[in-house]
Amino acid sequence: MMKTGLKLLLLSAVTLVSAQWRNYQDLPDSYKTHIDKALKEANKNFGGSDHVAYENVLSTKFTEKGYYLNVRLMVSTCTKDEKKGYGYREECVTKKSQKPVILCAVCNKHDGGELTECAKLKELKKRREIQNKCSVFYFPGSEHPLFLKTGDNERDFECLGCV
């Protein structure tokens, strides 16, 4: 009986955290700052005349080496409006059908500076290249062609797009 109660408590906590990450308004300000950078980048490069909007945070990693935020964006049914800007827009929460999912990474780079870069969910190779530039995933020598990638999940970008 106690085990069942504990499992339900843990499940509700995970559900609550997931629900919070889906609602932009409930995110910490530090997340919103990075998400707004991703929205600006994605709106420049994706969506055509449609506004690219926030969907949810897929993962974050904050360490002494740096930070990384992986956010999932969608092409919304709203049109782009320079007056309203490219950041979060409360009215733009409906995904336009037949449009790609966009993943954006916002992180500090291992060689200094900040990276905000986006790719379509299907562009796996491009997304791995983006992630490898982030300091929290950087391993010296990893760009060398003889570098043998192990099964380290933190470096495997492929699963970060799974929802």
PDB file of all heavy atoms in Angstrom, residues 3 21 23 25 31-32 35-37 43 48 64-65 85-86 89 96 114 119 121 125-127 154:
ATOM      1  N   LYS A   3       3.941   1.522  -1.061  1.00  0.00           N
ATOM      2  CA  LYS A   3       4.646   1.640  -2.334  1.00  0.00           C
ATOM      3  C   LYS A   3       3.753   2.273  -3.398  1.00  0.00           C
ATOM      4  O   LYS A   3       4.198   3.086  -4.184  1.00  0.00           O
ATOM      5  CB  LYS A   3       5.132   0.268  -2.808  1.00  0.00           C
ATOM      6  CG  LYS A   3       6.287  -0.275  -2.020  1.00  0.00           C
ATOM      7  CD  LYS A   3       6.732  -1.604  -2.568  1.00  0.00           C
ATOM      8  CE  LYS A   3       7.889  -2.155  -1.750  1.00  0.00           C
ATOM      9  NZ  LYS A   3       8.340  -3.450  -2.245  1.00  0.00           N
ATOM     10  N   TRP A  21       6.374  23.094 -17.527  1.00  0.00           N
ATOM     11  CA  TRP A  21       7.269  23.411 -18.631  1.00  0.00           C
ATOM     12  C   TRP A  21       6.505  23.659 -19.917  1.00  0.00           C
ATOM     13  O   TRP A  21       6.999  24.250 -20.824  1.00  0.00           O
ATOM     14  CB  TRP A  21       8.287  22.303 -18.808  1.00  0.00           C
ATOM     15  CG  TRP A  21       9.364  22.340 -17.774  1.00  0.00           C
ATOM     16  CD1 TRP A  21       9.334  23.010 -16.581  1.00  0.00           C
ATOM     17  CD2 TRP A  21      10.620  21.705 -17.826  1.00  0.00           C
ATOM     18  NE1 TRP A  21      10.497  22.803 -15.904  1.00  0.00           N
ATOM     19  CE2 TRP A  21      11.307  22.012 -16.641  1.00  0.00           C
ATOM     20  CE3 TRP A  21      11.229  20.898 -18.751  1.00  0.00           C
ATOM     21  CZ2 TRP A  21      12.573  21.546 -16.372  1.00  0.00           C
ATOM     22  CZ3 TRP A  21      12.496  20.431 -18.477  1.00  0.00           C
ATOM     23  CH2 TRP A  21      13.155  20.755 -17.306  1.00  0.00           C
ATOM     24  N   ASN A  23       3.683  25.440 -19.958  1.00  0.00           N
ATOM     25  CA  ASN A  23       3.090  26.758 -19.808  1.00  0.00           C
ATOM     26  C   ASN A  23       4.191  27.807 -19.673  1.00  0.00           C
ATOM     27  O   ASN A  23       4.869  27.875 -18.649  1.00  0.00           O
ATOM     28  CB  ASN A  23       2.162  26.785 -18.581  1.00  0.00           C
ATOM     29  CG  ASN A  23       1.417  28.084 -18.455  1.00  0.00           C
ATOM     30  OD1 ASN A  23       1.672  29.044 -19.175  1.00  0.00           O
ATOM     31  ND2 ASN A  23       0.496  28.125 -17.519  1.00  0.00           N
ATOM     32  N   GLN A  25       4.168  30.922 -19.081  1.00  0.00           N
ATOM     33  CA  GLN A  25       4.013  31.874 -17.971  1.00  0.00           C
ATOM     34  C   GLN A  25       4.570  31.336 -16.660  1.00  0.00           C
ATOM     35  O   GLN A  25       5.000  32.108 -15.811  1.00  0.00           O
ATOM     36  CB  GLN A  25       2.530  32.257 -17.793  1.00  0.00           C
ATOM     37  CG  GLN A  25       1.888  32.844 -19.016  1.00  0.00           C
ATOM     38  CD  GLN A  25       2.549  34.140 -19.502  1.00  0.00           C
ATOM     39  OE1 GLN A  25       3.459  34.669 -18.897  1.00  0.00           O
ATOM     40  NE2 GLN A  25       2.089  34.637 -20.627  1.00  0.00           N
ATOM     41  N   TYR A  31      14.746  30.827 -17.792  1.00  0.00           N
ATOM     42  CA  TYR A  31      14.331  30.013 -18.935  1.00  0.00           C
ATOM     43  C   TYR A  31      13.716  30.903 -20.012  1.00  0.00           C
ATOM     44  O   TYR A  31      13.992  30.742 -21.197  1.00  0.00           O
ATOM     45  CB  TYR A  31      13.305  28.969 -18.526  1.00  0.00           C
ATOM     46  CG  TYR A  31      13.840  27.767 -17.786  1.00  0.00           C
ATOM     47  CD1 TYR A  31      14.994  27.826 -17.009  1.00  0.00           C
ATOM     48  CD2 TYR A  31      13.175  26.563 -17.847  1.00  0.00           C
ATOM     49  CE1 TYR A  31      15.453  26.728 -16.325  1.00  0.00           C
ATOM     50  CE2 TYR A  31      13.635  25.448 -17.160  1.00  0.00           C
ATOM     51  CZ  TYR A  31      14.770  25.546 -16.399  1.00  0.00           C
ATOM     52  OH  TYR A  31      15.237  24.447 -15.734  1.00  0.00           O
ATOM     53  N   LYS A  32      12.838  31.819 -19.589  1.00  0.00           N
ATOM     54  CA  LYS A  32      12.155  32.694 -20.547  1.00  0.00           C
ATOM     55  C   LYS A  32      13.155  33.500 -21.362  1.00  0.00           C
ATOM     56  O   LYS A  32      12.979  33.687 -22.567  1.00  0.00           O
ATOM     57  CB  LYS A  32      11.202  33.639 -19.820  1.00  0.00           C
ATOM     58  CG  LYS A  32       9.986  32.955 -19.252  1.00  0.00           C
ATOM     59  CD  LYS A  32       9.125  33.977 -18.521  1.00  0.00           C
ATOM     60  CE  LYS A  32       7.991  33.335 -17.780  1.00  0.00           C
ATOM     61  NZ  LYS A  32       7.204  34.311 -17.008  1.00  0.00           N
ATOM     62  N   ILE A  35      14.492  31.130 -23.931  1.00  0.00           N
ATOM     63  CA  ILE A  35      13.430  30.756 -24.873  1.00  0.00           C
ATOM     64  C   ILE A  35      13.144  31.902 -25.838  1.00  0.00           C
ATOM     65  O   ILE A  35      12.946  31.683 -27.033  1.00  0.00           O
ATOM     66  CB  ILE A  35      12.157  30.326 -24.122  1.00  0.00           C
ATOM     67  CG1 ILE A  35      12.411  28.989 -23.420  1.00  0.00           C
ATOM     68  CG2 ILE A  35      10.966  30.217 -25.068  1.00  0.00           C
ATOM     69  CD1 ILE A  35      11.346  28.608 -22.417  1.00  0.00           C
ATOM     70  N   ASP A  36      13.145  33.127 -25.333  1.00  0.00           N
ATOM     71  CA  ASP A  36      12.919  34.286 -26.205  1.00  0.00           C
ATOM     72  C   ASP A  36      14.005  34.407 -27.265  1.00  0.00           C
ATOM     73  O   ASP A  36      13.736  34.772 -28.409  1.00  0.00           O
ATOM     74  CB  ASP A  36      12.806  35.564 -25.388  1.00  0.00           C
ATOM     75  CG  ASP A  36      11.489  35.644 -24.612  1.00  0.00           C
ATOM     76  OD1 ASP A  36      10.549  34.895 -24.940  1.00  0.00           O
ATOM     77  OD2 ASP A  36      11.407  36.461 -23.672  1.00  0.00           O
ATOM     78  N   LYS A  37      15.242  34.063 -26.915  1.00  0.00           N
ATOM     79  CA  LYS A  37      16.326  34.052 -27.899  1.00  0.00           C
ATOM     80  C   LYS A  37      16.052  32.989 -28.965  1.00  0.00           C
ATOM     81  O   LYS A  37      16.263  33.226 -30.157  1.00  0.00           O
ATOM     82  CB  LYS A  37      17.665  33.779 -27.222  1.00  0.00           C
ATOM     83  CG  LYS A  37      18.131  34.897 -26.311  1.00  0.00           C
ATOM     84  CD  LYS A  37      19.374  34.479 -25.552  1.00  0.00           C
ATOM     85  CE  LYS A  37      19.721  35.510 -24.489  1.00  0.00           C
ATOM     86  NZ  LYS A  37      20.844  35.058 -23.657  1.00  0.00           N
ATOM     87  N   ASN A  43      12.052  32.385 -35.591  1.00  0.00           N
ATOM     88  CA  ASN A  43      11.176  33.219 -36.411  1.00  0.00           C
ATOM     89  C   ASN A  43      11.925  33.830 -37.595  1.00  0.00           C
ATOM     90  O   ASN A  43      11.327  34.086 -38.631  1.00  0.00           O
ATOM     91  CB  ASN A  43      10.499  34.295 -35.561  1.00  0.00           C
ATOM     92  CG  ASN A  43       9.206  33.805 -34.971  1.00  0.00           C
ATOM     93  OD1 ASN A  43       8.252  33.549 -35.691  1.00  0.00           O
ATOM     94  ND2 ASN A  43       9.177  33.647 -33.665  1.00  0.00           N
ATOM     95  N   GLY A  48       8.073  30.901 -42.469  1.00  0.00           N
ATOM     96  CA  GLY A  48       7.615  31.788 -43.546  1.00  0.00           C
ATOM     97  C   GLY A  48       6.891  32.988 -42.968  1.00  0.00           C
ATOM     98  O   GLY A  48       7.445  33.725 -42.162  1.00  0.00           O
ATOM     99  N   GLU A  64      28.562  23.580 -13.508  1.00  0.00           N
ATOM    100  CA  GLU A  64      29.627  24.571 -13.311  1.00  0.00           C
ATOM    101  C   GLU A  64      30.312  24.917 -14.629  1.00  0.00           C
ATOM    102  O   GLU A  64      30.898  25.981 -14.776  1.00  0.00           O
ATOM    103  CB  GLU A  64      30.643  24.091 -12.266  1.00  0.00           C
ATOM    104  CG  GLU A  64      31.446  22.858 -12.642  1.00  0.00           C
ATOM    105  CD  GLU A  64      30.697  21.540 -12.448  1.00  0.00           C
ATOM    106  OE1 GLU A  64      29.624  21.528 -11.830  1.00  0.00           O
ATOM    107  OE2 GLU A  64      31.210  20.516 -12.947  1.00  0.00           O
ATOM    108  N   LYS A  65      30.235  24.022 -15.616  1.00  0.00           N
ATOM    109  CA  LYS A  65      30.827  24.278 -16.934  1.00  0.00           C
ATOM    110  C   LYS A  65      29.972  25.218 -17.770  1.00  0.00           C
ATOM    111  O   LYS A  65      30.465  25.867 -18.666  1.00  0.00           O
ATOM    112  CB  LYS A  65      31.005  22.965 -17.698  1.00  0.00           C
ATOM    113  CG  LYS A  65      32.072  22.054 -17.144  1.00  0.00           C
ATOM    114  CD  LYS A  65      32.042  20.698 -17.802  1.00  0.00           C
ATOM    115  CE  LYS A  65      32.559  20.730 -19.208  1.00  0.00           C
ATOM    116  NZ  LYS A  65      32.617  19.389 -19.834  1.00  0.00           N
ATOM    117  N   GLY A  85       6.327  41.589 -32.116  1.00  0.00           N
ATOM    118  CA  GLY A  85       7.631  40.976 -31.869  1.00  0.00           C
ATOM    119  C   GLY A  85       7.641  39.479 -32.133  1.00  0.00           C
ATOM    120  O   GLY A  85       6.638  38.885 -32.519  1.00  0.00           O
ATOM    121  N   TYR A  86       8.802  38.901 -31.907  1.00  0.00           N
ATOM    122  CA  TYR A  86       8.990  37.488 -32.194  1.00  0.00           C
ATOM    123  C   TYR A  86       9.055  36.631 -30.936  1.00  0.00           C
ATOM    124  O   TYR A  86       9.222  35.428 -31.007  1.00  0.00           O
ATOM    125  CB  TYR A  86      10.251  37.271 -33.026  1.00  0.00           C
ATOM    126  CG  TYR A  86      10.167  37.941 -34.378  1.00  0.00           C
ATOM    127  CD1 TYR A  86      11.095  38.864 -34.776  1.00  0.00           C
ATOM    128  CD2 TYR A  86       9.123  37.634 -35.243  1.00  0.00           C
ATOM    129  CE1 TYR A  86      11.007  39.479 -36.011  1.00  0.00           C
ATOM    130  CE2 TYR A  86       9.019  38.240 -36.478  1.00  0.00           C
ATOM    131  CZ  TYR A  86       9.975  39.165 -36.856  1.00  0.00           C
ATOM    132  OH  TYR A  86       9.868  39.767 -38.078  1.00  0.00           O
ATOM    133  N   ARG A  89       3.962  34.928 -27.539  1.00  0.00           N
ATOM    134  CA  ARG A  89       2.675  35.608 -27.732  1.00  0.00           C
ATOM    135  C   ARG A  89       1.587  34.684 -27.193  1.00  0.00           C
ATOM    136  O   ARG A  89       1.419  33.563 -27.680  1.00  0.00           O
ATOM    137  CB  ARG A  89       2.442  35.918 -29.213  1.00  0.00           C
ATOM    138  CG  ARG A  89       3.346  37.030 -29.718  1.00  0.00           C
ATOM    139  CD  ARG A  89       3.290  37.258 -31.205  1.00  0.00           C
ATOM    140  NE  ARG A  89       1.958  37.283 -31.782  1.00  0.00           N
ATOM    141  CZ  ARG A  89       1.733  37.254 -33.108  1.00  0.00           C
ATOM    142  NH1 ARG A  89       2.748  37.196 -33.958  1.00  0.00           N
ATOM    143  NH2 ARG A  89       0.513  37.277 -33.575  1.00  0.00           N
ATOM    144  N   LYS A  96       0.113  24.909 -36.401  1.00  0.00           N
ATOM    145  CA  LYS A  96      -0.388  24.831 -37.772  1.00  0.00           C
ATOM    146  C   LYS A  96      -0.082  23.434 -38.303  1.00  0.00           C
ATOM    147  O   LYS A  96       1.029  22.930 -38.163  1.00  0.00           O
ATOM    148  CB  LYS A  96       0.295  25.895 -38.630  1.00  0.00           C
ATOM    149  CG  LYS A  96      -0.339  26.081 -39.978  1.00  0.00           C
ATOM    150  CD  LYS A  96       0.157  27.342 -40.645  1.00  0.00           C
ATOM    151  CE  LYS A  96      -0.639  27.612 -41.900  1.00  0.00           C
ATOM    152  NZ  LYS A  96      -0.290  28.886 -42.491  1.00  0.00           N
ATOM    153  N   GLU A 114      27.906  32.740 -26.582  1.00  0.00           N
ATOM    154  CA  GLU A 114      26.637  32.029 -26.435  1.00  0.00           C
ATOM    155  C   GLU A 114      26.170  31.541 -27.799  1.00  0.00           C
ATOM    156  O   GLU A 114      26.440  32.166 -28.812  1.00  0.00           O
ATOM    157  CB  GLU A 114      25.580  32.947 -25.825  1.00  0.00           C
ATOM    158  CG  GLU A 114      24.259  32.247 -25.575  1.00  0.00           C
ATOM    159  CD  GLU A 114      23.244  33.125 -24.889  1.00  0.00           C
ATOM    160  OE1 GLU A 114      22.731  34.047 -25.541  1.00  0.00           O
ATOM    161  OE2 GLU A 114      22.982  32.883 -23.706  1.00  0.00           O
ATOM    162  N   ALA A 119      16.989  23.894 -35.426  1.00  0.00           N
ATOM    163  CA  ALA A 119      16.927  22.960 -36.548  1.00  0.00           C
ATOM    164  C   ALA A 119      15.587  22.232 -36.493  1.00  0.00           C
ATOM    165  O   ALA A 119      14.970  22.118 -35.443  1.00  0.00           O
ATOM    166  CB  ALA A 119      18.067  21.950 -36.473  1.00  0.00           C
ATOM    167  N   LEU A 121      13.174  19.083 -36.387  1.00  0.00           N
ATOM    168  CA  LEU A 121      13.277  17.826 -35.653  1.00  0.00           C
ATOM    169  C   LEU A 121      13.920  16.736 -36.501  1.00  0.00           C
ATOM    170  O   LEU A 121      14.724  15.958 -36.018  1.00  0.00           O
ATOM    171  CB  LEU A 121      11.887  17.384 -35.184  1.00  0.00           C
ATOM    172  CG  LEU A 121      11.783  16.054 -34.456  1.00  0.00           C
ATOM    173  CD1 LEU A 121      12.581  16.086 -33.160  1.00  0.00           C
ATOM    174  CD2 LEU A 121      10.330  15.726 -34.171  1.00  0.00           C
ATOM    175  N   LYS A 125      21.458  15.167 -37.886  1.00  0.00           N
ATOM    176  CA  LYS A 125      22.884  15.487 -37.975  1.00  0.00           C
ATOM    177  C   LYS A 125      23.129  16.945 -37.594  1.00  0.00           C
ATOM    178  O   LYS A 125      24.042  17.256 -36.852  1.00  0.00           O
ATOM    179  CB  LYS A 125      23.409  15.199 -39.385  1.00  0.00           C
ATOM    180  CG  LYS A 125      24.889  15.423 -39.520  1.00  0.00           C
ATOM    181  CD  LYS A 125      25.390  15.069 -40.895  1.00  0.00           C
ATOM    182  CE  LYS A 125      26.879  15.341 -40.968  1.00  0.00           C
ATOM    183  NZ  LYS A 125      27.414  15.154 -42.296  1.00  0.00           N
ATOM    184  N   LYS A 126      22.312  17.841 -38.096  1.00  0.00           N
ATOM    185  CA  LYS A 126      22.448  19.266 -37.793  1.00  0.00           C
ATOM    186  C   LYS A 126      22.286  19.508 -36.288  1.00  0.00           C
ATOM    187  O   LYS A 126      23.032  20.262 -35.684  1.00  0.00           O
ATOM    188  CB  LYS A 126      21.399  20.060 -38.580  1.00  0.00           C
ATOM    189  CG  LYS A 126      21.270  21.502 -38.189  1.00  0.00           C
ATOM    190  CD  LYS A 126      22.066  22.378 -39.088  1.00  0.00           C
ATOM    191  CE  LYS A 126      21.670  23.830 -38.849  1.00  0.00           C
ATOM    192  NZ  LYS A 126      22.787  24.686 -38.716  1.00  0.00           N
ATOM    193  N   ARG A 127      21.312  18.835 -35.656  1.00  0.00           N
ATOM    194  CA  ARG A 127      21.077  19.025 -34.228  1.00  0.00           C
ATOM    195  C   ARG A 127      22.248  18.513 -33.405  1.00  0.00           C
ATOM    196  O   ARG A 127      22.621  19.107 -32.407  1.00  0.00           O
ATOM    197  CB  ARG A 127      19.776  18.342 -33.814  1.00  0.00           C
ATOM    198  CG  ARG A 127      18.561  19.037 -34.412  1.00  0.00           C
ATOM    199  CD  ARG A 127      17.248  18.464 -33.940  1.00  0.00           C
ATOM    200  NE  ARG A 127      17.050  17.122 -34.449  1.00  0.00           N
ATOM    201  CZ  ARG A 127      16.845  16.047 -33.682  1.00  0.00           C
ATOM    202  NH1 ARG A 127      16.781  16.158 -32.395  1.00  0.00           N
ATOM    203  NH2 ARG A 127      16.691  14.863 -34.224  1.00  0.00           N
ATOM    204  N   GLU A 154      23.794  11.845 -22.496  1.00  0.00           N
ATOM    205  CA  GLU A 154      23.855  13.302 -22.482  1.00  0.00           C
ATOM    206  C   GLU A 154      24.319  13.862 -23.825  1.00  0.00           C
ATOM    207  O   GLU A 154      23.967  14.951 -24.197  1.00  0.00           O
ATOM    208  CB  GLU A 154      24.798  13.788 -21.389  1.00  0.00           C
ATOM    209  CG  GLU A 154      24.258  13.556 -20.004  1.00  0.00           C
ATOM    210  CD  GLU A 154      25.216  14.026 -18.951  1.00  0.00           C
ATOM    211  OE1 GLU A 154      26.393  14.253 -19.250  1.00  0.00           O
ATOM    212  OE2 GLU A 154      24.777  14.177 -17.812  1.00  0.00           O
TER     213      GLU A 154
END
